[in-house]
Amino acid sequence: MSVLDPCPCSIQEVRLSGQVVRAAAVQLEGVPGRVDLTLGRLETMVVEAAERGARLIAVPEFCTSPLPMRAEVHDAVLPRENVAVDMFRRLAARYRLTVGGSMVVADDDEVYNRYHLVEPDGFVHTHDKDLPTMWENCFYTGGGYYRDGSDDGAFETALGGVGVASCWELIRTGTVRRLRGRVGVAVTGTHWWTVPRNWGGLTDRVLGPLAQYNRYLSENAPAEFARRLGAPVLQASHCGSFRTDFLLAPGTGVCVPYETEYVGATQIVDASGTVLASRRADEGPGVVYADVTLGAREPVLPLEDRFWIPELPLLLRGYWHQQNVAGRSYYRRRGRSAGLRAAGSHRAAGADGPARG
């Protein structure tokens, strides 16, 4: 087993492990705010993957509850030690596998979207997503990467260097910079939705082209990320339709109904960006499998000298900024306190698990 060079600029010096591992990625249809139901479905799928030989398993971002902008989602905020991490550790030990996914957790008086990568010996590596995406800002705050350079999401494991990332972290150049040359595989998850289908002519005449481009981005993000990272990528996704609220302005609760669906695909791609296994969101829940060769290689494509990997159209960037501002205002006014209360209730009810490794 190789130890990957920690310097992203010395990719030529990174030794390839060449280890082949049976990998799986889970596509989940969860229930907003219902940790019990969502985790029950997830455990069934992880056990299925393990019993079919998978030893590296990716589950989606927000694996304990989807995250539409709805009040019941606050109920899914868990304490740092919780039933989901307990489940990961139990299954990792039973099947001698490594499993990773994110969930919203309360820690140090804030709420984070925390990715957990759990090894067979029970050791838990964590990474807080750098920036919430759009209305996700209502429920949690950003991690340490853009704040102070900490929390890079690159871990040394029994499989060698493993990187983790969530959703739109895959289309930011900063994520590639912090992982490139340090990891032999990236384990990721997403929660990627599309434009509203209930806004009548606005959807048809104005948002139609944006919907097409957004779908393209979601379906190609893992491969484009792998081509710049130089390592295989597992990405797990959500599927299904949902209703949410769309905040119109910061500082107010004024919103409009937003009916939409998840897009993208649960995928496993190799270091060149070739798709080894894929399941589109519209195909429903399921698990994809592939044999993955671990190890870093020279990236196929150079990394862009900008914030985003793709060229985001003005309308999409405007949507991102507007929802970020409105969501952060909601988090300060209501979201943070509601999440902390929910985590406290879970803790009081005995939802905590054993201390992390």
Side-chain angles (χ1 to χ4, degrees):
M1 183 179 303
S2 65
V3 178
L4 301 183
D5 193 317
C7 176
C9 63
S10 57
I11 186 68
Q12 294 86 353
E13 298 175 14
V14 175
R15 291 175 290 158
L16 304 184
S17 70
Q19 179 181 353
V20 177
V21 63
R22 183 68 168 168
V26 170
Q27 185 155 288
L28 176 68
E29 186 169 10
V31 183
R34 291 296 304 272
V35 174
D36 55 344
L37 295 179
T38 303
L39 273 186
R41 295 178 183 181
L42 182 64
E43 179 167 2
T44 297
M45 300 174 84
V46 172
V47 168
E48 172 193 321
E51 292 184 345
R52 292 186 58 179
R55 292 300 174 262
L56 178 61
I57 302 176
V59 305
E61 180 183 35
F62 310 127
C63 68
T64 52
S65 165
L67 214 76
M69 176 49 201
R70 284 164 42 183
E72 62 265 32
V73 172
H74 293 298
D75 295 337
V77 178
L78 298 175
R80 188 182 72 174
E81 313 299 341
N82 60 67
V83 290
V85 177
D86 286 353
M87 183 191 80
F88 283 177
R89 297 181 75 164
R90 172 166 45 82
L91 297 181
R94 178 189 304 169
Y95 293 103
R96 306 305 300 165
L97 56 81
T98 299
V99 58
S102 87
M103 64 198 75
V104 280
V105 300
D107 194 10
D108 292 334
D109 214 31
E110 294 285 357
V111 181
Y112 299 98
N113 176 10
R114 181 161 293 170
Y115 199 100
H116 297 74
L117 184 75
V118 183
E119 297 197 65
D121 64 0
F123 195 92
V124 182
H125 307 269
T126 64
H127 164 67
D128 294 337
K129 185 176 178 180
D130 56 9
L131 299 171
T133 301
M134 301 179 192
W135 66 62
E136 293 174 11
N137 283 274
C138 296
F139 298 97
Y140 68 93
T141 192
Y145 178 66
Y146 279 114
R147 184 173 60 248
D148 57 16
S150 64
D151 191 12
D152 60 15
F155 310 124
E156 186 58 36
T157 77
L159 295 174
V162 177
V164 302
S166 293
C167 206
W168 276 34
E169 285 187 313
L170 270 74
I171 62 172
R172 288 195 269 276
T173 57
T175 315
V176 177
R177 290 191 183 96
R178 63 181 167 84
L179 299 180
R180 189 168 55 185
R182 302 178 61 194
V183 305
V185 65
V187 186
T188 77
T190 189
H191 177 269
W192 201 314
W193 63 86
T194 188
V195 303
R197 55 173 178 252
N198 62 316
W199 287 8
L202 181 62
T203 297
D204 297 334
R205 292 189 293 272
V206 178
L207 300 179
L210 180 63
Q212 294 177 356
Y213 185 71
N214 180 61
R215 186 177 297 272
Y216 168 83
L217 281 181
S218 65
E219 292 176 351
N220 288 276
E224 294 300 324
F225 188 73
R227 292 181 182 118
R228 290 158 176 82
L229 179 64
V233 176
L234 283 62
Q235 175 154 282
S237 303
H238 286 265
C239 61
S241 300
F242 64 95
R243 179 198 176 281
T244 185
D245 290 327
F246 184 91
L247 292 170
L248 293 179
T252 76
V254 179
C255 58
V256 295
Y258 188 111
E259 296 176 5
T260 188
E261 62 188 6
Y262 295 105
V263 293
T266 291
Q267 296 182 53
I268 301 173
V269 303
D270 68 13
S272 69
T274 300
V275 177
L276 305 177
S278 178
R279 185 180 185 90
R280 297 189 317 275
D282 60 13
E283 294 180 87
V287 185
V288 300
Y289 302 87
D291 292 326
V292 172
T293 301
L294 304 181
R297 54 173 286 178
E298 188 71 25
V300 173
L301 294 176
L303 185 61
E304 290 77 1
D305 186 22
R306 56 181 183 244
F307 185 78
W308 300 106
I309 291 174
E311 288 277 11
L312 297 188
L314 181 61
L315 183 57
L316 185 54
R317 283 184 281 134
Y319 174 23
W320 187 72
H321 284 292
Q322 184 272 339
Q323 284 292 282
N324 287 351
V325 173
R328 284 194 293 268
S329 172
Y330 177 94
Y331 178 80
R332 291 192 298 268
R333 290 181 292 113
R334 297 182 55 189
R336 174 180 163 275
S337 58
L340 294 177
R341 282 196 303 271
S345 297
H346 284 290
R347 188 181 298 110
D352 315 57
R356 290 186 297 172

